[in-house]
Amino acid sequence: MTTPLYPEDLQQPAYPDDLEQPGLVRTGRSTFVRPIRPEDADRLVAFVGGLSRATLAYRSLGPVIRARDDVIRRGAYVDYLNELALVALAGDEIAGLVRYVRDTEDPDHAEVTFTIRDDDQSEGFGRLLLEHIAAAARARGIRVLKADVLADNTRMINVFLGSGYRVESGPPGQIVHFDIAVDPQAQAVARAERREHTAVRRSLRPLLEPRSVAVIGANRSPLTIGHEIVANLLRGGFRGSVFPVNPRAGQVAGARAYPSVRELPEPPDLALIAVRAEAVPDVVRECAAAGVKAVVVVSTGFGETGAAGRSTELELSRFARASGMRLVGPNCMGVVNTTPAARLAATFSPALPTPGRVAMSSQSGPLGLAVLDFARRLRLGFSGFVSVGHAVDVSTNDLLQWWEEDPETSVILLHVETFGNPRRFARIARRVAPRKPIIAVHPGHGHATGQVDPGGRGGSGRRGDPESRGDTAGHADPPGPSDSAVSSLFAQSGVIRTRSLQELFDAALLLAHQPPPPGNRVAVITNAGGPAALTVGACVASGLRVPPLGERTRETLRTDLGPGAEVANPVDLTPMATAAHYRQALDAVLADDGIDAAIVLFMPPLADKPDEVAAAILDAAEAAPSKPVVASFLGGAGVADLLHRGELVVPTYAFPESAAASLGHAAAYQAWRSTPAGVVPDLPGVDTDRARSLLAGCAPGPVPPRIAAELLDSYGIAVRDAEPGSGPGSEPRSEPGSELGSESGSEPGSEPGSRLGSGPDAFLSVGADPVFGPVIAFGLTGDYADLMADVAHRVTPLSDRDAREMVRSLRAAPLLDGRVGGPGVDLSALEETVLRISAMVEDLPEIEAMELRPIRLLPPGDGVAVTRATIRLADETRKGGPS
């Protein structure tokens, strides 16, 4: 009889469910990584019992000594802080295990060991588990993982050397010692991203380019979901095998039906499940047993019904990943891939998209039906459409990586309601957006929990290590992000944000068929003055300019159009304009070096020839392919058809405001794409060891002012006043020779404000958004933030480009750069301070909130002066891991 590790009088440690993550190995095979649990004891015995003598020798660094079963079972009991073990599951079995044990004499070091099942040692489980254990260790205050490896264990040695982490190895010998620094080095992140990208694409191939498809729940009755999926697959020209599954039908939509997945002639790559919700778990298990590689759960009745349904769908996701399958849904409308390699219409939608260059991910199943119908009416073709539904496994992040390399896709549309892993989204989007525009529609809502308020005071949401979060699997839906965080994430990632589906498709119509404009200067050509005036106003509102035309262009227009035409900008051709006039005007303005794009307005008069005008517009657009042309034929019917000629399309809009807004989005995107990519710089004067030692002596909650000042000093930020009494609510003390105190021009008890001759005061704050993690807010104190809400937000980590754009994005920026009211302030010092704060909160996840207020902005060359700082530590970090 063995002694229990956790006697009844001792409390078993809380299980860290935040470490439950879906995973993909190098081959694209799915797995599920989670902390080991006491109930895994028998599973652990079976795992060790199945290891070969060679693997056991590598694990024990010498002669094989098989441990007793009771000793092996003890390995399932850990405290999740000083000892942690993660398992990668293959079905119900352990395929790989990694364990660290903290060094009691050197608590920021830990011994780590890896064990991979013999049959799985070439698939990449070791590298995957290293990434997961490194993130978990980092969140628990461990900086170095120590490992001893036999010199001939080349696979494990290559895992360490190829990880991208900073690795130090001992001298060559029979046993090689490695010290692995788990700080996220740029090289480690880059290599992990490459591994993930390859694995994701391989895992999605059976979903998006399957060789065979089963439809489980296929129905003989037309207009039912199960019947229409089969019919669409056949009508859509799918080249592989289609297997309807219905135990009571011989045929469905003309295709032979089978009674169960087990009785299919071959294991299908993809299975669509359209059965009642309570039957779905058993069907998914049958699919796993049959060797299905991907499943799409069309069925409803899961998370949308409440907590029980949410729990069921998350268990489905865990099981699918552990069984090597990818899962789309539940509550989705299916998958469409119109590319020649697939011709897959695995959906029940009655409106199938025409082939085109646009791909879309939608988080709403019912919305997808309307989207596909609307796209057909717009003549907007799709390369792919995936309704991810509740996205418990396959997510927008995965699909971005598929479409990133799809040669048939040039524009990516996203309907985003909730975020899974926003840090991962930002990394992927920043990589994709320079080559392919990403346009997202997000409803734009704020939430009290964790929202960063306009004044920059920050929120108090929970935080953990965002890099260690999965997309959604294993977690309940988090509170929604603040709207400022959403906008910041999109802006930093180069994603075009829209707030309505109409705006989304307007922008897509332009970017799918025309190049983004090289600048924001627009010419307007019209045959009616009223619509032109509306268009000019809409252009200005969309960040565009309508500048005067060049003198040579005006001379050309006078010669071609005659004395009655207005040749300024807008160019008014008058109601008597002909198609030839439109062609001449467009040729002239597009040849003007001071014009980047053209908006063409046509108001049909009593006797009109819109087809001739449309042909003239197409001719001019074709002659100037580097500058976009858009049109608005007010009151015209069927004009969209007229403005298509083979691959040449001039987008047309019902109203000119939509044309202007779309051009505005495209111009802003091009400006982002043309700006050199930023980097997260290595900052001099940063002492993370000192900062961690300071935090080690602090309890959760407010940090004492002097410690807060020392923490900032560890990151190269000097606080002028750190004396007792300088905490929240107190006034800064004056120093000899400084500009603080009564000489600041503020009344006793007031917050210092802007003063002539010395620059304004500002603040920097950090709040914990419940979804995005740390969000930095920057603004000027006083009315700028409080009344005008003139505050810039960015999601950490910030690059030098992010810091520069953040500081210069305020409406009050003219006060900072010297355009208004004096010489301006030291912008380079301000940007460096922003970057140091970003580095600080990234390195020290214990920090829940921070505020530097006021910050005195000094003239160029004089730096900035932080006069007061407050820092608050989160409770969750004291409990041994991220929340």
Side-chain angles (χ1 to χ4, degrees):
M1 183 175 179
T2 60
T3 303
L5 288 178
Y6 293 101
E8 294 182 359
D9 59 338
L10 295 179
Q11 184 178 3
Q12 185 172 327
Y15 176 76
D17 58 6
D18 60 290
L19 295 184
E20 291 188 344
Q21 304 291 329
L24 293 170
V25 295
R26 176 182 53 81
T27 59
R29 175 180 167 188
S30 298
T31 185
F32 193 75
V33 179
R34 63 166 173 80
I36 202 164
R37 300 189 290 236
E39 53 266 35
D40 291 324
D42 290 337
R43 188 178 285 111
L44 187 59
V45 170
F47 169 69
V48 175
L51 299 176
S52 68
R53 294 178 64 86
T55 296
L56 286 171
Y58 283 142
R59 172 63 182 83
S60 58
L61 301 178
V64 175
I65 301 176
R66 288 196 178 270
R68 300 194 316 268
D69 287 356
D70 60 330
V71 175
I72 296 173
R73 284 190 174 90
R74 293 182 185 179
Y77 294 84
V78 296
D79 64 8
Y80 304 117
L81 176 61
N82 297 311
E83 183 179 7
L84 174 66
L86 303 177
V87 294
L89 299 178
D92 197 41
E93 299 176 346
I94 297 174
L97 179 145
V98 60
R99 182 188 305 272
Y100 80 62
V101 179
R102 194 189 298 265
D103 188 330
T104 56
E105 296 182 359
D106 193 358
D108 61 358
H109 286 59
E111 294 281 352
V112 66
T113 56
F114 294 78
T115 311
I116 311 299
R117 194 168 60 177
D118 286 70
D119 291 343
D120 301 305
Q121 289 179 1
S122 62
E123 295 204 38
F125 278 94
R127 189 157 294 172
L128 176 69
L129 287 172
L130 174 58
E131 292 170 10
H132 282 258
I133 200 70
R138 186 166 62 244
R140 286 156 175 76
I142 294 171
R143 293 189 296 127
V144 177
L145 294 174
K146 302 183 294 182
D148 291 316
V149 183
L150 288 178
D152 63 346
N153 189 355
T154 55
R155 280 181 174 154
M156 203 67 238
I157 290 173
N158 288 337
V159 166
F160 294 150
L161 296 179
S163 67
Y165 292 110
R166 189 172 66 253
V167 176
E168 296 181 3
S169 58
Q174 184 179 3
I175 296 176
V176 182
H177 178 80
F178 289 92
D179 285 340
I180 306 158
V182 298
D183 285 339
Q185 303 294 312
Q187 188 179 42
V189 173
R191 292 186 180 180
E193 286 181 1
R194 286 197 298 270
R195 186 200 64 78
E196 176 199 66
H197 176 70
T198 300
V200 166
R201 286 189 55 80
R202 287 174 175 167
S203 76
L204 293 183
R205 193 168 298 281
L207 170 71
L208 296 172
E209 293 181 357
R211 294 166 298 180
S212 55
V213 180
V215 181
I216 305 168
N219 199 304
R220 288 172 293 186
S221 302
L223 302 181
T224 59
I225 288 176
H227 183 278
E228 293 306 305
I229 293 174
V230 176
N232 279 340
L233 282 166
L234 298 174
R235 284 196 299 262
F238 179 62
R239 295 174 176 175
S241 301
V242 177
F243 302 126
V245 176
N246 185 327
R248 294 179 295 277
Q251 283 190 343
V252 173
R256 179 188 172 185
Y258 297 84
S260 72
V261 179
R262 295 186 300 272
E263 299 178 55
L264 295 178
E266 64 182 71
D269 282 346
L270 172 64
L272 285 97
I273 301 174
V275 300
R276 65 185 187 280
E278 56 268 26
V280 168
D282 287 339
V283 171
V284 172
R285 292 187 187 95
E286 286 185 13
C287 288
V292 175
K293 297 180 178 65
V295 292
V296 175
V297 181
V298 176
S299 310
T300 61
F302 292 92
E304 75 276 14
T305 65
R310 179 63 173 165
S311 177
T312 300
E313 67 185 19
L314 292 178
E315 286 301 321
L316 282 177
S317 171
R318 294 187 185 101
F319 176 82
R321 293 305 289 264
S323 301
M325 298 189 300
R326 299 305 308 266
L327 184 149
V328 174
N331 192 13
C332 69
M333 58 170 286
V335 177
V336 176
N337 187 352
T338 69
T339 62
R343 295 185 180 179
L344 178 70
T347 176
F348 58 87
S349 171
L352 296 179
T354 57
R357 308 290 298 176
V358 175
M360 182 173 184
S361 166
S362 172
Q363 288 188 346
S364 170
L367 183 65
L369 297 172
V371 163
L372 292 181
D373 180 64
F374 186 57
R376 284 187 68 91
R377 288 189 279 116
L378 284 178
R379 295 192 60 172
L380 184 65
F382 277 76
S383 59
F385 181 90
V386 179
S387 168
V388 295
H390 295 170
V392 295
D393 177 26
V394 173
S395 68
T396 295
N397 292 340
D398 295 321
L399 295 170
L400 278 173
Q401 298 191 78
W402 176 268
W403 290 321
E404 176 182 4
E405 294 186 21
D406 180 16
E408 304 296 326
T409 297
S410 58
V411 178
I412 300 171
L413 308 184
L414 307 177
H415 165 243
V416 183
E417 292 178 346
T418 60
F419 286 89
N421 188 330
R423 298 301 187 87
R424 185 169 170 238
F425 172 84
R427 291 198 308 269
I428 297 169
R430 281 184 174 183
R431 190 176 70 228
V432 177
R435 294 188 291 116
K436 298 184 179 183
I438 302 173
I439 312 172
V441 59
H442 187 278
H445 49 77
H447 295 269
T449 304
Q451 181 171 347
V452 180
D453 68 304
R457 300 286 180 178
S460 57
R462 296 161 59 94
R463 337 187 4 203
D465 180 0
E467 294 296 335
S468 71
R469 285 189 226 136
D471 276 357
T472 54
H475 303 279
D477 282 333
S482 64
D483 194 57
S484 59
V486 173
S487 294
S488 299
L489 183 77
F490 286 157
Q492 288 173 257
S493 307
V495 176
I496 300 169
R497 182 183 185 179
T498 64
R499 295 178 182 270
S500 69
L501 285 172
Q502 181 69 61
E503 189 181 2
L504 175 86
F505 280 104
D506 286 345
L509 198 61
L510 189 156
L511 288 168
H513 300 302
Q514 294 281 307
N520 67 346
R521 302 164 299 179
V522 178
V524 178
I525 298 174
T526 183
N527 64 348
L534 292 174
T535 305
V536 171
C539 286
V540 173
S542 301
L544 302 170
R545 294 173 52 217
V546 185
L549 300 174
E551 181 56 38
R552 179 176 300 178
T553 303
R554 293 198 296 270
E555 290 177 3
T556 300
L557 289 171
R558 291 189 192 101
T559 301
D560 292 341
L561 303 178
E566 173 58 54
V567 297
N569 193 8
V571 179
D572 190 346
L573 304 178
T574 77
M576 304 304 294
T578 66
H581 292 142
Y582 271 94
R583 175 63 195 274
Q584 292 165 337
L586 261 177
D587 283 344
V589 300
L590 292 174
D592 191 324
D593 292 337
I595 295 298
D596 302 306
I599 299 177
V600 185
L601 309 179
F602 178 70
M603 178 71 74
L606 293 177
D608 65 295
K609 295 182 179 180
D611 54 339
E612 295 181 4
V613 173
I617 294 171
L618 286 169
D619 290 342
E622 189 173 28
S626 64
K627 295 182 179 181
V629 177
V630 298
S632 179
F633 277 38
L634 291 89
V639 174
D641 294 335
L642 298 178
L643 288 167
H644 284 66
R645 180 190 295 159
E647 294 295 317
L648 177 62
V649 177
V650 171
T652 180
Y653 302 91
F655 299 104
E657 294 89 344
S658 298
S662 299
L663 267 179
H665 284 308
Y669 164 71
Q670 179 63 18
W672 177 88
R673 188 168 69 168
S674 301
T675 304
V679 297
V680 178
D682 291 327
L683 299 166
V686 172
D687 189 345
T688 54
D689 290 340
R690 177 190 173 200
R692 288 192 178 102
S693 66
L694 287 167
L695 285 180
C698 294
V703 173
R706 187 176 296 280
I707 300 299
E710 290 188 39
L711 281 170
L712 288 163
D713 186 66
S714 300
Y715 278 80
I717 301 173
V719 180
R720 292 285 184 88
D721 182 13
E723 294 298 323
S726 64
S730 65
E731 285 302 306
R733 300 155 84 77
S734 60
E735 298 176 1
S738 76
E739 295 181 331
L740 306 180
S742 61
E743 294 180 359
S744 68
S746 49
E747 294 296 325
S750 69
E751 187 176 60
S754 302
R755 296 178 301 123
L756 292 176
S758 68
D761 286 347
F763 68 86
L764 276 169
S765 69
V766 179
D769 188 273
V771 174
F772 291 87
V775 179
I776 296 182
F778 167 71
L780 304 184
T781 58
D783 292 347
Y784 297 105
D786 298 337
L787 298 182
M788 300 172 60
D790 189 16
V791 179
H793 299 87
R794 290 294 184 275
V795 179
T796 65
L798 270 63
S799 67
D800 52 1
R801 171 177 171 173
D802 295 329
R804 183 171 58 253
E805 292 177 350
M806 181 183 192
V807 167
R808 289 164 168 77
S809 67
L810 296 181
R811 294 194 297 277
L815 291 173
L816 305 180
D817 60 21
R819 285 176 286 168
V820 174
V825 305
D826 195 334
L827 287 173
S828 60
L830 176 58
E831 291 162 13
E832 182 178 320
T833 302
V834 172
L835 289 170
R836 290 181 181 277
I837 292 297
S838 172
M840 185 175 179
V841 297
E842 284 292 301
D843 291 345
L844 308 174
E846 300 92 330
I847 295 176
E848 180 181 64
M850 182 190 316
E851 184 170 60
L852 312 184
R853 180 192 293 254
I855 302 172
R856 179 60 45 79
L857 304 182
L858 303 176
D862 290 347
V864 299
V866 178
T867 62
R868 191 185 313 167
T870 59
I871 297 175
R872 186 174 69 249
L873 303 184
D875 292 338
E876 287 79 3
T877 307
R878 299 296 111 192
K879 297 177 182 177
S883 58

